[in-house]
């Protein structure tokens, strides 16, 4: 690890938050705005945008390889900037593909497939290296707060982009969508260039890089052999599977069981996101501490957030059996707060664990965890929706069917909590070579 004098200050952390917000701005157009255009304006099957979004998650299985590329040179900013450029190009091509679908559906879909592959690669490259840069340059005592700042800025980027793009896109035309997407892509790249300028050192020397340049599969095997890295990968997959499995069914649940209108169920999603922000802020304040005193470790907040998420989902199970009269809004707010707490604590832990083990493998570790998260997100949303369909067909009543699904999801969070609790007990691998600073950090509560 770098000496304390070389850690990023709050302004440096905020600069990286702007990069995350820029990344989120392009992604939200591709996965939300374009989704609606394909289904509503073009009257195409909803499975088409669903498959494209799933494709951009699947492509992120390349994250470990992209992270390895940044490990070789020892610098992350070229991969962040290059990833943002690829992401922006993918967004523009996706808009062009949608415009083409109006006259030639097959050709437009083919271009959209290429575009979403590029989107996945761009997110994987920029996102992985951004997290590695945070992990290496943020003081351990600021990691919880840094994770909160960066992710809150991403959410702000989501909100501002949807509001601004929504206003500019009316009345809709394919040309207007293409122009807006191109403008957002250019702005995102410009923000990234400005935010990362001079933020990173020169990296390793060429001789040092050549001496530690194994084949990718060998580096991946080394990282997988590290007990903590392997256990954390499994934890990330399981927790994000549980996190995403309720994402697509919460609003239908509110509508079919509690009689919420589309507008009311959308507001309910806002209540959940408000809870997420509260949970994130709570962990940031606890992790940063007051007058030098911190409240709990990142691991404790990760375990506690998973247990609280389990409890909130069990409460939704009771709500599904009870129906109207259950305090649904309060329940959903608590679920969001628990989700936000565990997510930020897990990201903070990710920053800590990325530098443990053999030096020069931070990108591979972060890429491995990012790939696990992306695959879990892709599977979780589909699995939750499919499970609710199967349960409703088998039981014949919406409330008990959703209750069963929420109950199963709560068990996933319980398993994730158990996995998180075991992380501190992970023995050092024979292939791990922790530095003295890394060894000291491993036992430090944040």
């Amino acid at each position: 690890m770098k000496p304390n004098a070389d850690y990023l200050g709050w302004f440096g952390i905020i600069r990286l938050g702007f990069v995350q917000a820029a990344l989120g701005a392009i992604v939200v157009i591709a996965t939300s705005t374009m989704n609606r255009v394909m289904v509503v304006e073009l009257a195409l099957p909803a499975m088409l945008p669903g498959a494209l979004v799933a494709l951009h998650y699947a492509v992120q299985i390349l994250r470990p390889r992209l992270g390895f590329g940044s490990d070789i040179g020892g610098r992350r900013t070229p991969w962040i900037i290059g990833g943002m450029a690829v992401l922006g190009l993918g967004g523009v091509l996706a808009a062009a593909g949608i415009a083409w679908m109006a006259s030639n559906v097959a050709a437009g879909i083919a271009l959209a497939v290429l575009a979403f592959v590029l989107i996945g690669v761009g997110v994987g490259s920029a996102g992985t290296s951004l997290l590695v840069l945070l992990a290496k340059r943020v003081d351990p005592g600021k990691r919880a707060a840094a994770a909160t700042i960066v992710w809150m800025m991403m959410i702000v980027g989501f909100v501002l982009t949807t509001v601004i793009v929504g206003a500019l896109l009316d009345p809709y035309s394919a040309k207007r969508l293409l122009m807006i997407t191109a403008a957002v892509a250019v702005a995102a790249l410009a923000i990234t260039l400005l935010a990362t300028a001079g933020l990173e050192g020169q990296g390793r020397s060429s001789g040092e890089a050549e001496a530690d340049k194994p084949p990718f599969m060998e580096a991946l095997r080394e990282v997988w052999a590290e007990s903590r890295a392997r256990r954390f990968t499994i934890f990330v997959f399981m927790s994000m599977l549980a996190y995403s499995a309720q994402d697509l069914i919460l609003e239908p649940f509110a509508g079919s069981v509690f009689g919420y209108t589309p507008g009311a169920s959308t507001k309910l999603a806002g209540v959940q996101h408000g809870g997420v922000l509260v949970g994130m802020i709570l962990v940031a304040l606890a992790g940063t501490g007051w007058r030098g005193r911190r409240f709990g470790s990142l691991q404790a907040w990760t375990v506690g957030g998973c247990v609280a998420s389990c409890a909130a989902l069990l409460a939704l199970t009771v709500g599904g059996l009870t129906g109207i009269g259950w305090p649904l809004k309060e329940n959903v707010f608590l679920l969001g707060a628990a989700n936000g707490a565990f997510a930020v604590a897990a990201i903070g832990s990710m920053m800590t664990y990325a530098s443990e083990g053999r030096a020069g493998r931070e990108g591979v570790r972060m890429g491995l965890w990012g790939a696990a998260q992306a695959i879990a997100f892709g599977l979780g949303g589909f699995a939750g929706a499919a499970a609710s369909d199967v349960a409703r067909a088998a039981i014949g009543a919406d409330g008990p069917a959703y209750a069963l699904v929420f109950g199963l999801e709560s068990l996933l969070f319980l398993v994730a909590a158990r996995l998180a609790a075991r992380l501190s007990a992970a023995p050092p691998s024979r292939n791990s070579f922790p530095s003295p600073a890394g060894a000291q950090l491993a036992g430090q509560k944040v």
Side-chain angles (χ1 to χ4, degrees):
M1 296 292 290
K2 294 180 179 295
N4 289 343
D6 207 23
Y7 284 139
L8 291 175
W10 292 115
F11 181 62
I13 293 169
I14 291 171
R15 285 169 64 181
L16 290 178
F18 275 110
V19 177
Q20 188 76 3
L23 186 151
I26 301 176
V27 170
V28 77
I29 292 177
T31 60
S32 179
T33 305
M34 294 183 189
N35 181 345
R36 179 245 153 80
V37 169
M38 281 185 270
V39 174
V40 179
E41 275 71 23
L42 298 180
L44 294 170
M47 69 170 54
L48 173 60
L52 291 172
V53 171
L55 175 63
H56 112 280
Y57 279 126
V59 170
Q60 291 182 55
I61 198 171
L62 296 173
R63 275 181 179 253
R65 180 62 184 84
L66 297 168
F68 174 73
S70 70
D71 284 340
I72 294 301
R75 297 192 71 237
R76 315 298 168 175
T77 48
W79 291 82
I80 296 172
I81 295 168
M84 192 68 72
V86 171
L87 174 59
L89 176 61
V92 172
L93 289 180
I98 289 174
W100 205 355
M101 288 177 198
S103 58
N104 189 327
V105 175
I109 291 175
L111 183 56
V113 167
L114 172 62
F116 274 82
V117 168
L118 292 176
I119 289 170
V121 172
V123 170
S125 176
T128 300
S129 291
L130 176 65
L131 281 173
V132 175
L133 190 55
L134 277 169
K136 292 177 72 67
R137 297 295 306 278
V138 173
D139 184 278
K142 294 181 179 179
R143 282 179 179 149
T148 297
I149 289 170
V150 169
W151 257 253
M152 283 182 65
M153 290 182 71
M154 183 179 69
I155 293 171
V156 170
F158 286 163
V159 173
L160 289 178
T161 302
T162 53
V163 170
I164 294 171
V165 170
L168 295 176
L169 198 54
D170 287 332
Y172 169 78
S173 71
K175 180 179 179 181
R176 189 183 291 264
L177 176 63
L178 182 57
M179 291 176 62
I180 291 171
T181 305
V184 171
V186 170
L189 183 57
I191 289 171
T192 301
L193 288 168
L194 290 172
T196 57
L199 202 64
E200 188 181 18
Q202 293 300 314
R204 292 182 288 172
S205 67
S206 58
E208 189 180 1
E210 282 293 329
D212 192 18
K213 192 184 273 189
F216 165 65
M217 291 306 298
E218 180 182 330
L220 184 61
R221 282 193 294 269
E222 288 175 356
V223 170
W224 189 253
E226 297 170 1
S227 181
R228 198 192 301 274
R230 184 173 63 252
R231 290 187 183 184
F232 194 70
T233 303
I234 298 170
F235 160 74
V236 168
F237 177 81
M238 189 63 66
S239 61
M240 291 302 169
L241 188 68
Y243 181 86
S244 59
Q246 45 84 23
D247 194 38
L248 296 182
I249 65 173
L250 195 57
E251 289 190 49
F253 167 67
S256 60
V257 177
F258 292 86
Y260 276 41
T261 64
S265 64
T266 301
K267 291 179 181 177
L268 185 67
V271 170
Q272 183 183 18
H273 293 148
V276 169
L277 290 177
V278 169
M280 288 180 171
I281 293 170
L282 179 63
V283 174
L285 293 175
T288 304
W290 176 256
R291 293 182 179 178
R293 181 183 178 186
R294 299 186 187 119
F295 302 92
S297 65
L298 284 174
Q299 184 184 20
W301 280 101
T302 304
V303 173
C306 287
V307 172
S309 296
C310 171
L313 283 167
L314 286 176
L316 280 181
T317 302
V318 177
L321 298 175
T322 304
I324 296 175
W326 184 258
L328 183 61
K329 289 183 180 179
E330 292 81 359
N331 196 159
V332 169
F333 178 84
L334 291 175
L335 175 62
N339 287 169
F342 110 79
V344 164
I347 293 165
S349 298
M350 198 180 288
M351 293 181 192
T352 298
Y353 299 151
S355 296
E356 292 186 4
R358 189 184 185 101
R361 301 290 182 268
E362 296 89 349
V364 177
R365 292 185 195 95
M366 200 67 80
L368 187 63
W369 301 330
Q373 175 182 325
I375 294 169
F377 262 98
L379 289 176
F382 174 79
S388 67
D389 288 341
V390 171
R392 281 185 294 170
I395 297 175
D398 288 346
Y402 281 114
L404 175 62
V405 176
F406 287 134
L408 293 174
E409 291 171 6
S410 71
L411 292 179
L412 291 178
F413 265 120
L414 202 59
V415 172
R418 174 61 178 163
L419 291 170
R422 295 180 61 204
L423 287 172
S424 61
S429 167
R430 63 182 179 182
N431 291 328
S432 297
F433 302 94
S435 64
Q440 181 181 4
L441 180 60
Q444 185 172 357
K445 290 193 174 184
V446 181

